[in-house]
């Protein structure tokens, strides 16, 4: 019988509910349990694909091409498993399904209602990821008390009657704020948010208190008493300088053991956290540091490039160093200024992006890296701008452009392919999800991966225009990876440069803490070499 852990959040958002769920998943998996994680997002968008990264952070792409909430990235990185579209459910998905079923006449004359139709549909989604798993961890997005979260909370409340109380555990993550004027940590918001949950019929079993400072036994006991949980079921999640410390911290307090006990699962044997501990200790103790400029559009919002930042950090650890990221607003280097903004960096990274704004700045960054022989890594749009830059400044193609940026350019070097144009009229043409890529022997990419066939995830519309391939190659921009069967250029590299690689895919999505993504690893190694050699 599969067990279910539901993770809700109270008081404020951004508490680290996702990290708590991911940490628990990792700890249980390291104890040998088969774990799955699902995120229920109460917003009405069908998926995160159309959401502005400025507001909502990065859109995380899975192997099967789902555009999901960034928490799925945390889950994948923590439990070290690839997830799919079924691991992220939104109100939009639920309602579209229920409404189309209604239109198909599948409800046999019933009045279709939130309870039971919407709530059953939600439960179905949770049950659908349980196949072959010992434990399903289900995080509910948003904060208790939000109007749109109610059907989800009702659905998880009903799960008790569906699968049995002994197979369900409710974990509520709250904030215990520190009031400087009083010099005190306050438990009242936690009490209120637990009351809110109880009002709708959910009594949490475990409370995870996010706090700036350690909570003494007295405070823990108080929370236990007022929130009606056992004393050992109050866990503290202290602010940490890296999210990767959180599972270690939770485990030290016996979080995983407690969850197992509550679910009547065997808790013998401790999780083997050695590789994770090594990772965290390198993060803390690394003496060398490299500085990488990230030239992007949403640099003010930390979460907009979350997976890229994580991948760079993992790569740093695998090279035994720390990575400092210098966020550079692309628009600010559009009309000069690259020189001063990029001065002294050990490497330059241009991440993915959409739309024309800031593109000239990214092109300037690629040029700077090429001419100064600074290691360069271009991800998706970052590859496309490198190609445009090469076309203009090395091949002398005046006005070279991408079709996305300047639709009026004749025969753009980055274009929408003929076969896409018909599809474009019918709706989306995004290339989404994992595609195979054949590497060219002896290329930097081949060196990094150590094999010739790889798979990486995509999320883009435009492609390298093969009309230019020969001309570019003759001038030193080598094609290093091709999508087999479709002849799409996936990787370009500069021949005469220490490390200059542009990839049409998003390698950041497959980087994991202990097994850093090979291209990121080699990119940071090149940055380190530059730093050492000046
Ligand atoms: N906007 C570009 C395209 O659609 C690049 C997308 C990206 O960087 N993810 O092809």
């Amino acid at each position: 019988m599969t067990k279910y852990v539901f993770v809700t959040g109270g008081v404020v958002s951004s508490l680290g509910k996702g990290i708590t769920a991911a940490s628990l998943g990792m700890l249980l998996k390291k104890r040998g349990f088969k774990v799955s994680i699902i995120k229920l997002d109460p917003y009405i968008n069908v998926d995160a694909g159309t959401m502005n990264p400025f507001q909502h952070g990065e859109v995380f792409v899975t192997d099967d091409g789902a555009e999901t909430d960034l928490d799925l990235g945390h889950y994948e990185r923590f439990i070290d498993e690839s997830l799919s579209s079924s691991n992220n459910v939104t109100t939009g998905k639920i309602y579209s399904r229920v409404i189309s079923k209604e239109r198909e006449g599948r409800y046999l004359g019933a009045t279709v209602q939130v309870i039971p139709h919407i709530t059953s549909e939600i439960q179905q989604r949770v049950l659908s990821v349980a196949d072959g798993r010992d434990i399903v961890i289900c995080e509910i997005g948003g904060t208790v008390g939000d109007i749109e979260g109610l059907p989800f909370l009702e659905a998880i409340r009903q799960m008790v009657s569906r699968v049995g109380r002994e197979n369900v555990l409710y974990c509520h993550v709250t904030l215990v704020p520190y009031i400087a004027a009083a010099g005190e940590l306050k438990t009242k918001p936690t009490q209120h948010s637990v009351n809110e949950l109880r009002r709708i019929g959910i009594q949490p079993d475990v409370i995870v208190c996010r706090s700036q400072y350690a909570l003494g036994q007295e405070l823990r006991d108080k929370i236990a008493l007022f929130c009606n949980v056992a004393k050992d079921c109050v866990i503290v999640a202290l602010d940490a300088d890296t999210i990767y410390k959180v599972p270690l911290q939770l485990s030290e307090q016996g979080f995983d053991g407690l969850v197992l006990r509550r679910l009547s699962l065997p808790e013998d044997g401790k999780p083997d956290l050695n590789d994770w501990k090594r990772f965290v200790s390198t993060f803390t103790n690394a003496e060398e540091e490299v500085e990488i400029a990230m030239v992007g559009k949403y640099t003010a919002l930390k979460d907009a490039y979350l997976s890229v930042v994580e991948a760079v950090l993992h790569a740093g650890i695998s090279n035994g160093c720390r990575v400092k990221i210098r966020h550079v607003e692309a628009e600010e280097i559009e009309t000069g200024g690259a020189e001063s903004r990029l001065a002294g960096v050990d490497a330059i990274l241009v991440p993915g992006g959409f739309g024309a704004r800031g593109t000239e700045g990214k092109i300037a960054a690629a040029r700077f890296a090429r001419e100064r022989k600074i290691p360069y890594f271009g991800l998706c749009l970052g590859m496309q701008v490198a190609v445009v830059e090469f076309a203009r400044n090395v091949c002398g193609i005046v006005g070279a452009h991408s079709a996305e940026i300047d639709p009026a350019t004749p025969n753009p070097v980055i274009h929408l392919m003929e076969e896409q144009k018909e599809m474009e009229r019918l709706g989306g043409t995004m290339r989404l999800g994992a595609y195979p890529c054949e590497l060219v022997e002896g290329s930097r990419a081949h060196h990094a991966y150590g094999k010739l066939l790889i798979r990486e995830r995509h999320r883009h519309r435009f492609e390298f225009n093969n009309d230019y391939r020969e001309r570019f190659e003759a001038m030193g921009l080598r094609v290093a990876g091709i999508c087999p069967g479709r002849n799409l250029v996936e990787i370009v590299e500069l021949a005469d440069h220490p490390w200059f690689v542009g990839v049409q895919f998003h390698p950041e999505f497959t980087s994991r803490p202990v097994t850093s993504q090979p291209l990121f690893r080699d990119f940071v190694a090149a940055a380190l070499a530059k730093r050492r050699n000046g």
Side-chain angles (χ1 to χ4, degrees):
M1 182 76 198
T2 305
K3 308 277 182 175
Y4 297 85
V5 177
F6 294 103
V7 181
T8 53
V11 186
V12 290
S13 59
S14 308
L15 270 179
K17 214 172 1 125
I19 301 294
T20 306
S23 298
L24 179 63
M26 175 273 217
L27 293 169
L28 296 175
K29 201 178 158 191
K30 295 248 184 215
R31 281 184 180 252
F33 292 97
K34 295 196 197 73
V35 179
S36 187
I37 308 199
I38 177 169
K39 169 107 193 254
L40 306 180
D41 273 315
Y43 49 71
I44 296 171
N45 304 57
V46 172
D47 62 36
T50 53
M51 287 159 90
N52 184 341
F54 236 149
Q55 280 174 23
H56 200 74
E58 149 193 287
V59 175
F60 186 81
V61 181
T62 54
D63 274 341
D64 66 345
E67 299 176 282
T68 70
D69 188 83
L70 54 75
D71 271 320
L72 262 80
H74 288 312
Y75 300 167
E76 285 203 353
R77 289 185 282 270
F78 276 62
I79 67 167
D80 195 14
E81 244 173 67
S82 294
L83 301 171
S84 75
S85 65
S86 39
N87 299 88
N88 192 192
V89 173
T90 67
T91 295
K93 261 192 199 171
I94 297 290
Y95 272 81
S96 1
R97 182 79 193 110
V98 169
I99 292 168
S100 56
K101 274 187 175 158
E102 188 275 332
R103 291 291 82 189
E104 288 160 20
R106 306 249 306 262
Y107 294 114
L108 300 172
T111 307
V112 182
Q113 293 178 299
V114 172
I115 307 172
H117 301 96
I118 295 295
T119 47
S120 309
E121 189 63 36
I122 295 170
Q123 290 163 11
Q124 278 311 328
R125 303 294 175 121
V126 177
L127 295 167
S128 78
V129 298
D131 209 24
R133 307 291 170 145
D134 303 312
I135 304 159
V136 170
I137 299 170
C138 172
E139 178 193 348
I140 292 88
T143 307
V144 167
D146 297 345
I147 292 177
E148 58 271 32
L150 277 173
F152 289 93
L153 294 174
E154 172 59 16
I156 66 164
R157 184 193 68 77
Q158 292 171 7
M159 280 295 280
V160 164
S161 48
R162 203 150 175 165
V163 300
R165 183 67 185 94
E166 67 286 6
N167 296 317
V168 172
L169 180 133
Y170 297 107
C171 171
H172 190 53
V173 184
T174 72
L175 177 73
V176 176
Y178 177 75
I179 306 296
E184 267 183 84
L185 288 163
K186 293 294 187 187
T187 65
K188 194 69 81 189
T190 299
Q191 296 176 37
H192 281 304
S193 105
V194 169
N195 274 346
E196 188 68 28
L197 260 186
R198 283 160 56 180
R199 205 174 55 78
I200 51 178
I202 297 174
Q203 166 63 53
D205 301 289
V206 181
I207 298 184
V208 174
C209 304
R210 174 75 184 271
S211 173
Q212 228 177 323
Y213 301 100
L215 264 67
Q217 195 56 46
E218 211 180 303
L219 276 190
R220 289 180 194 234
D221 291 354
K222 185 172 170 189
I223 292 172
L225 180 68
F226 280 98
C227 300
N228 198 25
V229 300
K231 283 185 181 175
D232 64 344
C233 290
V234 179
I235 301 284
V236 182
L238 277 183
D239 291 0
D241 54 356
T242 164
I243 51 172
Y244 299 105
K245 282 188 182 163
V246 175
L248 301 178
Q249 214 191 76
L250 296 177
S251 184
E252 274 161 25
Q253 295 174 69
F255 184 42
D256 42 331
L258 156 79
V259 166
L260 293 173
R261 233 167 17 251
R262 289 262 151 180
L263 291 170
S264 313
L265 287 168
E267 54 155 328
D268 38 327
K270 283 257 166 258
D272 177 6
L273 301 175
N274 282 329
D275 53 357
W276 203 272
K277 283 183 181 156
R278 262 195 308 278
F279 174 85
V280 168
S281 121
T282 313
F283 173 87
T284 318
N285 303 320
E287 281 171 6
E288 273 183 298
E289 185 176 79
V290 294
E291 189 177 12
I292 294 178
M294 184 154 86
V295 184
K297 199 158 67 165
Y298 303 113
T299 50
L301 186 85
K302 183 169 120 274
D303 281 352
Y305 301 113
L306 183 66
S307 292
V308 178
V309 172
E310 296 301 319
V312 162
L313 183 139
H314 306 157
I317 307 278
S318 62
N319 282 286
C321 72
R322 231 194 307 267
V323 182
K324 185 168 151 197
I325 295 183
R326 185 190 299 183
H327 293 280
V328 177
E329 260 310 312
E331 267 181 309
E332 290 172 13
I333 56 169
E334 293 214 308
T335 47
E339 188 91 22
S340 59
R341 295 298 169 104
L342 298 173
V345 295
D346 303 307
I348 296 172
L349 184 149
V350 176
F354 289 84
R357 189 165 71 77
T359 310
E360 286 302 330
K362 294 175 189 175
I363 292 173
R367 179 175 196 169
F368 189 82
R370 179 178 57 78
E371 290 180 344
R372 308 294 170 99
K373 301 229 183 300
I374 299 168
Y376 178 88
F377 197 13
L379 315 177
C380 207
L381 181 65
M383 168 220 180
Q384 299 175 353
V385 295
V387 170
V388 169
E389 190 281 315
F390 191 85
R392 284 185 194 171
N393 303 318
V394 178
C395 301
I397 305 171
V398 180
H401 237 310
S402 147
E404 177 184 40
I405 298 153
D406 179 11
T409 318
N411 200 20
V413 293
I414 303 294
H415 70 156
L416 201 60
M417 296 184 308
E418 274 315 309
E419 65 193 71
Q420 285 177 298
K421 289 185 183 155
E422 171 61 12
M423 285 158 66
E424 184 81 350
R425 274 203 300 279
L426 304 170
T429 50
M430 280 260 237
R431 187 141 72 102
L432 277 168
Y435 283 82
C437 173
E438 266 167 13
L439 303 181
V440 171
E441 230 173 314
S443 61
R444 279 189 217 299
H446 179 209
H447 177 268
Y449 286 97
K451 56 182 177 184
L452 286 169
L453 186 65
I454 58 155
R455 269 171 81 80
E456 290 287 1
R457 300 179 192 175
H458 290 247
R459 180 178 184 242
H460 59 101
R461 183 163 287 124
F462 295 88
E463 303 284 352
F464 178 102
N465 183 348
N466 278 320
D467 289 355
Y468 291 96
R469 185 168 163 183
E470 266 178 45
R471 200 159 157 195
F472 289 167
E473 294 214 275
M475 297 299 282
L477 187 80
R478 294 188 304 218
V479 170
I482 292 281
C483 182
R486 306 185 59 186
N487 202 27
L488 297 170
V489 171
E490 309 283 42
I491 308 176
V492 295
E493 301 179 356
L494 275 186
D496 182 25
H497 192 286
W499 208 91
F500 191 109
V501 177
V503 294
Q504 188 56 83
F505 44 82
H506 288 276
E508 68 270 27
F509 293 138
T510 49
S511 184
R512 307 269 163 89
V514 181
T515 43
S516 134
Q517 204 283 340
L519 291 170
F520 275 93
R521 186 200 59 218
D522 281 11
F523 170 59
V524 171
L528 199 55
K530 182 178 182 304
R531 155 121 329 184
R532 285 176 184 159
N533 305 329

